[in-house]
Amino acid sequence: MNRLRHLLGDLPDGHTVLLDGGMGTLLQDSGLDDGGSGELWNVERPEVIAGIHEAYAEAGARLLTTNTFGGTRPRLDMHGLGDRVHELNRAGAAIATEVARRHGALVAGDLGPTGELLSPLGTMEPDEARALFAEQLTGLADGGIDVVLIETMSDLGEVAAAVEAARQVVPELPVIATLSFDTNLRSMMGVRPADAVTALAELGVDAVGANCGRGPEEMEAIAAQLAQARTDDLLIVAQSNAGLPVLVGDRFAYDAPPDELAAHARALQDLGVDLVGACCGSTPAHIAAMGRALLPAG
């Protein structure tokens, strides 16, 4: 049985679950400096993180993503925070969990790339990557997550290490894994959407998909390939960026307004995508518009 389908209420065919949207854009809007650690705000400005989760929950998101994308030790080491992995991840999960419980939503513990390349292209061995993800997941589990979200990956080996860590630390929880694909419809490491479905289904994840990328049109092409390669009871996920970044004054903004992502959500639903949300540049307004556009099953 697909554990995520069961957790979400034994989804009927044709039912689409609304996910949340970007975190980084909203943190920057709230004053996070370029290059600053968003994860540190889980303890220094928890009210901001809670407010973002609250806004997404009110917009209709059924799955809230923890503010822990850069929560592995190598990523936190870049900010001098490597000794606070458990603290920052537990705090991020606890904030999201408190909001989610009030709205009847679920919490996805967010694992992003470590930033290190696995052997033979890099120096990190798979067991080292697994240990890093296990360390992060221990904090997330202590904060109360319901689902493991492995996102914005390019290397199937790194995804496998994260899946193994999840099986070690939280074997009872469903696992979602998404990769980021470029204009050639391949990840940075050359993985194609159908390859990802096949490989990750064999690893036993509950949902496979794509996030980030270059906007709705490309995401729809990627989602079509993901859905076509679907196996058994696997769920398909798509979370596009809100278009492309454009310079507005002295900062970048994304060029897809909420109504464009609303039409995109309908297109993804028509393709058979089970879980639909958004990524960089998106806001609660985008998610609310996508939710209004999605049609109920039947």
Side-chain angles (χ1 to χ4, degrees):
M1 174 183 291
N2 186 295
R3 294 169 301 172
L4 182 59
R5 183 185 294 274
H6 179 70
L7 186 63
L8 290 166
D10 291 322
L11 295 177
D13 290 340
H15 185 88
T16 307
V17 174
L18 185 66
L19 307 179
D20 61 5
M23 174 67 72
T25 301
L26 300 182
L27 291 181
Q28 291 173 1
D29 289 345
S30 298
L32 180 68
D33 293 334
D34 288 343
S37 171
E39 288 76 20
L40 187 58
W41 281 27
N42 291 336
V43 295
E44 291 195 345
R45 299 190 65 184
E47 72 285 352
V48 174
I49 308 303
I52 292 171
H53 289 314
E54 185 79 27
Y56 278 126
E58 291 179 353
R62 289 198 58 193
L63 206 62
L64 304 181
T65 306
T66 59
N67 177 40
T68 57
F69 177 80
T72 52
R73 185 173 290 267
R75 297 289 292 266
L76 291 175
D77 272 338
M78 296 170 62
H79 306 284
L81 301 170
D83 60 342
R84 300 177 69 178
V85 174
H86 186 275
E87 174 196 5
L88 297 178
N89 282 280
R90 186 205 60 77
I95 294 167
T97 298
E98 194 278 329
V99 175
R101 296 299 177 260
R102 288 190 283 103
H103 289 271
L106 300 170
V107 174
D110 192 4
L111 309 183
T114 63
E116 304 289 335
L117 292 177
L118 266 63
S119 174
L121 294 178
T123 59
M124 181 175 289
E125 297 299 326
D127 282 350
E128 294 178 76
R130 179 193 51 75
L132 291 171
F133 287 123
E135 179 182 37
Q136 182 182 13
L137 276 165
T138 300
L140 290 170
D142 287 348
I145 62 170
D146 304 297
V147 178
V148 175
L149 172 62
I150 303 161
E151 64 149 314
T152 323
M153 294 290 181
S154 61
D155 183 355
L156 289 173
E158 189 169 23
V159 179
V163 172
E164 290 169 8
R167 295 289 179 259
Q168 172 190 335
V169 178
V170 283
E172 72 283 3
L173 298 189
V175 176
I176 301 170
T178 64
L179 284 79
S180 179
F181 300 94
D182 62 19
T183 52
N184 295 315
L185 304 191
R186 293 173 182 264
S187 79
M188 184 176 69
M189 295 300 181
V191 181
R192 296 173 297 185
D195 298 334
V197 171
T198 300
L200 299 181
E202 290 177 356
L203 288 178
V205 305
D206 301 274
V208 174
N211 75 297
C212 210
R214 291 175 52 83
E217 185 175 351
E218 270 188 18
M219 182 60 74
E220 289 163 27
I222 293 164
Q225 293 190 21
L226 291 167
Q228 187 174 16
R230 181 201 305 265
T231 59
D232 301 325
D233 199 28
L234 193 70
L235 298 178
I236 301 298
V237 189
Q239 291 185 276
S240 171
N241 285 352
L244 293 171
V246 294
L247 190 60
V248 179
D250 61 351
R251 61 173 301 167
F252 284 96
Y254 285 74
D255 63 3
D259 60 348
E260 185 174 338
L261 284 198
H264 171 62
R266 285 289 303 277
L268 292 175
Q269 185 176 52
D270 291 344
L271 288 168
V273 176
D274 304 287
L275 297 98
V276 171
C279 200
C280 301
S282 62
T283 66
H286 288 89
I287 296 304
M290 295 173 83
R292 290 190 295 269
L294 293 173
L295 298 175

